Amino acid sequence: MRATTLEPVTQESKQPSAPKEIVSILLVDDQPGKLLAHEAILSELGQRIVKARTGVEALGHLLRYDFAVILLDVNMPNMDGFETAALIRQRPRFEKTPIIFITGYNTTDFDRLKGYELGAVDYMFLPVVPQVLKAKVSVFVELARQTQIIKSQASDLAAHNHRQAEQLEVIQKLNDELRDANSELEAFSYTVSHDLRAPLRGISGYAGVLLEDYGSCLDDEGRSHLLALDRAAKRMDALTRDLLAYGRVARETVVLAPVTLQPLLDAVISLNGSGSTPPANIVIEPDLLPVMGHVFLLEQCLGNLINNATKFVAAGVTPQVRIRTEARGGRVRIWIEDHGIGIDQAYHRKIFNMLERVGDLQRYEGTGIGLAIVHRAVQRMGGACGVESAPGQGSRFWIDLPSAPPSRALHHNGAS
Amino acid sequence: MSVSAQPFIVLLVEDSTDDVFFFRRAMHKSGLTAVTHVAADGVEAKDYLLNKGRFADAAAYRPPDIMFLDLKLPHCNGFELLEWMRRHAECPPMPVVVLTSSSRAEDQERAEALGATSFLTKPAAPEQLRQTLQAYPLARLPAMGRESAL
């Protein structure tokens, strides 16, 4: 699979803390003294102050800065304040920029002010009262700063959303790749199970034919070689089958549903057949409690545990197996108990590992995968498993699973 | 063998020559008297059922009394053949026993839904074949074959 980096989605706290945002104020006045005085008053606001002596110069500054507010002297030679304002307003960026006209107490000017959009414009009469000027300007400064913060937050948010969308896309792609890989694996497993096992069936089959049809032509050693050939092929077949089962247990999509155990056990036992000689005596206690499980995974668990229970007995002994359930709080413990050879406590954990065959068990047929399948399947169903056993005293394997509401588990859901 | 009755026809759809060999051997050992014809894939099976191609001789290749079907086949697999048989009314009705190498529950369910009657895991033992053939009300199973089966 192609490697794709996946960065964690982090809330980048580029949150502009309000005091850091500096905005600009434009002062336009033809009298340097007044400019200086206003600058002195407004410098306390801690913002950038840009000064212009004429309307033309003011328009020049518009190219370089955004302004929170423009203080415009109405009475200027050549281009007066109103003319300048009209030109400022022509620029889309400054359509809404607040303008404070500084004017003498003059009715004509006052009338002309009315033509401007309310809110975007204010006026002050000369002489300017410092506190009033500062108060008015600071309102607009604050407004501009808030706008700026909102803007930068919006762009942060947009960038964040964009990153998130990109990561979603990456996740989506990974999911698709995973799904593809899974279905490839599924197809691969199927091919393996069919094509890899077919030749083994052939080897086993022809060994059997040789024994049956030509066995009399061979001496004991020749016949034992053929039997060994058959055993080897069958062992390889069992290994292949168990590895495939393990693989499937590991990647099966697991959705837990109520499962009634009795029919599942009947199916598992009939499938395994009377594998042991003499045939096992399997007792299933009535009224087994339903569990929350997954049919395929449970089949694998029960099949392997029952198979073990009937397999690991002393030669010639009829295997005795008892299956029962026990309520344990919100969980159900399924017990599979035998009277077999038992397991030394030292191995109780080890036996659930892959390909682990311990102590005396070496003498018995097996792949060493069965209990690994059980362990993995139980894990995938959110359960637990374990064993209580001692040599010569049989083994009591258990599986804990969430209990199912009895009413909903009335019918057995047929298959995985 | 009964002289008057026409022989019981088994159609085995199987691509593996080894498996064909084991099947024939098991049939022989089962003691049942039957003629086993082999189609190597789904396409050949269709030819047989329609008496086309190398199975054109309708007298030699009579409608099977039972079919044994491998699922994984080249060209036209077992599922596709089952589907085709369901769609084609001209196809003679017969029990279909699926021969599988893996007992995958979903394969069995799918085959069952498509009309498969039962399942046998490969290699089928003589005893299993005998039980399978006797499980169906096969009126045409030659009496002698039945006798020897018991």
Side-chain angles (χ1 to χ4, degrees), chain A residues 16 21 23 67-68 96 98 139-155:
Chain A
E21 295 294 325
V23 298
F67 290 104
K96 305 260 158 122
V139 168
F140 289 118
V141 163
E142 198 47 44
L143 189 70
R145 275 176 46 191
Q146 292 305 329
T147 310
Q148 209 162 315
I149 287 167
I150 289 165
K151 259 192 203 163
S152 94
Q153 279 176 347
S155 93

Short mmCIF file of all heavy atoms in Angstrom, two decimals, chain A residues 16 21 23 67-68 96 98 139-155:
data_model
loop_
_atom_site.label_atom_id
_atom_site.label_comp_id
_atom_site.label_asym_id
_atom_site.label_seq_id
_atom_site.Cartn_x
_atom_site.Cartn_y
_atom_site.Cartn_z
N PRO A 16 -5.58 35.81 17.01
CA PRO A 16 -4.96 37.11 17.24
C PRO A 16 -5.44 37.69 18.55
O PRO A 16 -6.63 37.97 18.71
CB PRO A 16 -5.44 37.92 16.05
CG PRO A 16 -6.68 37.25 15.58
CD PRO A 16 -6.61 35.83 16.01
N GLU A 21 -3.23 43.66 17.54
CA GLU A 21 -3.69 44.16 16.25
C GLU A 21 -3.58 45.67 16.21
O GLU A 21 -4.24 46.38 16.96
CB GLU A 21 -5.15 43.74 16.03
CG GLU A 21 -5.32 42.25 15.91
CD GLU A 21 -4.65 41.69 14.66
OE1 GLU A 21 -4.65 42.40 13.62
OE2 GLU A 21 -4.10 40.58 14.74
N VAL A 23 -4.06 49.08 14.04
CA VAL A 23 -4.76 49.61 12.87
C VAL A 23 -4.21 51.01 12.57
O VAL A 23 -3.45 51.57 13.36
CB VAL A 23 -6.28 49.64 13.09
CG1 VAL A 23 -6.81 48.22 13.31
CG2 VAL A 23 -6.65 50.55 14.24
N PHE A 67 -7.40 51.96 6.43
CA PHE A 67 -7.55 52.84 7.59
C PHE A 67 -8.78 52.50 8.40
O PHE A 67 -9.84 52.19 7.84
CB PHE A 67 -7.60 54.31 7.14
CG PHE A 67 -6.26 54.77 6.62
CD1 PHE A 67 -6.03 54.91 5.26
CD2 PHE A 67 -5.22 55.03 7.51
CE1 PHE A 67 -4.79 55.33 4.79
CE2 PHE A 67 -3.97 55.44 7.04
CZ PHE A 67 -3.75 55.59 5.67
N ALA A 68 -8.59 52.57 9.71
CA ALA A 68 -9.70 52.33 10.61
C ALA A 68 -10.63 53.54 10.59
O ALA A 68 -11.85 53.41 10.67
CB ALA A 68 -9.19 52.08 12.03
N LYS A 96 -16.72 52.12 2.80
CA LYS A 96 -17.36 52.12 4.12
C LYS A 96 -16.45 52.64 5.21
O LYS A 96 -16.79 52.55 6.39
CB LYS A 96 -17.77 50.67 4.47
CG LYS A 96 -18.65 50.00 3.43
CD LYS A 96 -20.08 50.04 3.85
CE LYS A 96 -20.97 49.87 2.66
NZ LYS A 96 -21.90 48.82 2.63
N PRO A 98 -14.92 54.72 7.89
CA PRO A 98 -15.47 55.86 8.63
C PRO A 98 -14.63 57.12 8.40
O PRO A 98 -13.40 57.07 8.40
CB PRO A 98 -15.38 55.44 10.09
CG PRO A 98 -15.20 53.96 10.07
CD PRO A 98 -14.53 53.62 8.80
N VAL A 139 -13.63 54.59 19.15
CA VAL A 139 -14.76 53.75 18.77
C VAL A 139 -14.50 53.08 17.43
O VAL A 139 -14.66 51.87 17.25
CB VAL A 139 -16.08 54.57 18.71
CG1 VAL A 139 -17.19 53.75 18.04
CG2 VAL A 139 -16.50 54.98 20.11
N PHE A 140 -14.04 53.93 16.48
CA PHE A 140 -13.80 53.38 15.13
C PHE A 140 -12.59 52.43 15.11
O PHE A 140 -12.58 51.44 14.40
CB PHE A 140 -13.59 54.52 14.13
CG PHE A 140 -14.87 55.27 13.85
CD1 PHE A 140 -14.99 56.63 14.15
CD2 PHE A 140 -15.96 54.61 13.30
CE1 PHE A 140 -16.17 57.31 13.90
CE2 PHE A 140 -17.14 55.29 13.04
CZ PHE A 140 -17.25 56.64 13.35
N VAL A 141 -11.59 52.79 15.92
CA VAL A 141 -10.40 51.92 16.00
C VAL A 141 -10.81 50.54 16.51
O VAL A 141 -10.42 49.51 15.96
CB VAL A 141 -9.34 52.57 16.92
CG1 VAL A 141 -8.31 51.52 17.36
CG2 VAL A 141 -8.65 53.72 16.21
N GLU A 142 -11.61 50.57 17.56
CA GLU A 142 -12.06 49.29 18.13
C GLU A 142 -12.85 48.49 17.11
O GLU A 142 -12.66 47.28 16.96
CB GLU A 142 -12.90 49.58 19.38
CG GLU A 142 -13.08 48.39 20.32
CD GLU A 142 -11.78 47.66 20.60
OE1 GLU A 142 -10.73 48.33 20.85
OE2 GLU A 142 -11.80 46.42 20.53
N LEU A 143 -13.71 49.21 16.40
CA LEU A 143 -14.53 48.55 15.37
C LEU A 143 -13.64 47.90 14.32
O LEU A 143 -13.85 46.73 13.93
CB LEU A 143 -15.44 49.62 14.72
CG LEU A 143 -16.51 49.09 13.77
CD1 LEU A 143 -17.58 48.35 14.57
CD2 LEU A 143 -17.15 50.25 13.00
N ALA A 144 -12.62 48.66 13.88
CA ALA A 144 -11.72 48.14 12.83
C ALA A 144 -10.96 46.93 13.35
O ALA A 144 -10.76 45.95 12.63
CB ALA A 144 -10.75 49.22 12.40
N ARG A 145 -10.53 47.05 14.63
CA ARG A 145 -9.77 45.93 15.19
C ARG A 145 -10.62 44.68 15.28
O ARG A 145 -10.17 43.57 14.96
CB ARG A 145 -9.22 46.31 16.56
CG ARG A 145 -7.90 47.07 16.44
CD ARG A 145 -7.41 47.54 17.77
NE ARG A 145 -7.49 46.50 18.78
CZ ARG A 145 -7.32 46.72 20.09
NH1 ARG A 145 -7.08 47.92 20.53
NH2 ARG A 145 -7.41 45.72 20.92
N GLN A 146 -11.85 44.86 15.72
CA GLN A 146 -12.74 43.70 15.81
C GLN A 146 -12.96 43.08 14.44
O GLN A 146 -12.95 41.86 14.28
CB GLN A 146 -14.09 44.09 16.44
CG GLN A 146 -14.02 44.49 17.92
CD GLN A 146 -13.38 43.42 18.78
OE1 GLN A 146 -13.49 42.24 18.49
NE2 GLN A 146 -12.70 43.85 19.83
N THR A 147 -13.17 43.97 13.46
CA THR A 147 -13.39 43.48 12.09
C THR A 147 -12.18 42.68 11.62
O THR A 147 -12.32 41.61 11.03
CB THR A 147 -13.61 44.68 11.15
OG1 THR A 147 -14.61 45.51 11.72
CG2 THR A 147 -14.06 44.21 9.77
N GLN A 148 -11.00 43.25 11.94
CA GLN A 148 -9.77 42.58 11.53
C GLN A 148 -9.63 41.21 12.19
O GLN A 148 -9.26 40.23 11.55
CB GLN A 148 -8.58 43.47 11.93
CG GLN A 148 -7.40 43.30 11.01
CD GLN A 148 -6.45 44.47 11.17
OE1 GLN A 148 -6.89 45.62 11.20
NE2 GLN A 148 -5.18 44.19 11.29
N ILE A 149 -9.97 41.16 13.49
CA ILE A 149 -9.89 39.88 14.22
C ILE A 149 -10.85 38.87 13.60
O ILE A 149 -10.48 37.72 13.33
CB ILE A 149 -10.23 40.10 15.72
CG1 ILE A 149 -9.07 40.83 16.39
CG2 ILE A 149 -10.51 38.77 16.40
CD1 ILE A 149 -9.41 41.37 17.77
N ILE A 150 -12.07 39.35 13.35
CA ILE A 150 -13.06 38.44 12.77
C ILE A 150 -12.59 37.92 11.42
O ILE A 150 -12.68 36.73 11.12
CB ILE A 150 -14.44 39.14 12.64
CG1 ILE A 150 -15.03 39.32 14.04
CG2 ILE A 150 -15.37 38.34 11.76
CD1 ILE A 150 -16.18 40.29 14.10
N LYS A 151 -12.02 38.87 10.63
CA LYS A 151 -11.52 38.48 9.31
C LYS A 151 -10.44 37.42 9.42
O LYS A 151 -10.46 36.42 8.70
CB LYS A 151 -10.93 39.71 8.59
CG LYS A 151 -11.84 40.34 7.56
CD LYS A 151 -11.05 41.32 6.76
CE LYS A 151 -11.95 42.35 6.11
NZ LYS A 151 -11.19 43.53 5.67
N SER A 152 -9.50 37.66 10.35
CA SER A 152 -8.39 36.71 10.43
C SER A 152 -8.86 35.39 11.00
O SER A 152 -8.38 34.33 10.63
CB SER A 152 -7.22 37.31 11.22
OG SER A 152 -7.30 36.93 12.57
N GLN A 153 -9.85 35.48 11.91
CA GLN A 153 -10.41 34.22 12.42
C GLN A 153 -11.12 33.46 11.32
O GLN A 153 -11.01 32.24 11.22
CB GLN A 153 -11.38 34.49 13.57
CG GLN A 153 -10.66 34.71 14.89
CD GLN A 153 -11.61 35.08 16.00
OE1 GLN A 153 -12.77 35.41 15.75
NE2 GLN A 153 -11.12 35.03 17.22
N ALA A 154 -11.83 34.21 10.49
CA ALA A 154 -12.55 33.57 9.39
C ALA A 154 -11.56 32.91 8.44
O ALA A 154 -11.81 31.79 7.98
CB ALA A 154 -13.39 34.61 8.64
N SER A 155 -10.44 33.57 8.20
CA SER A 155 -9.50 32.98 7.26
C SER A 155 -8.80 31.79 7.92
O SER A 155 -8.51 30.79 7.27
CB SER A 155 -8.50 34.02 6.73
OG SER A 155 -7.34 34.04 7.51
#
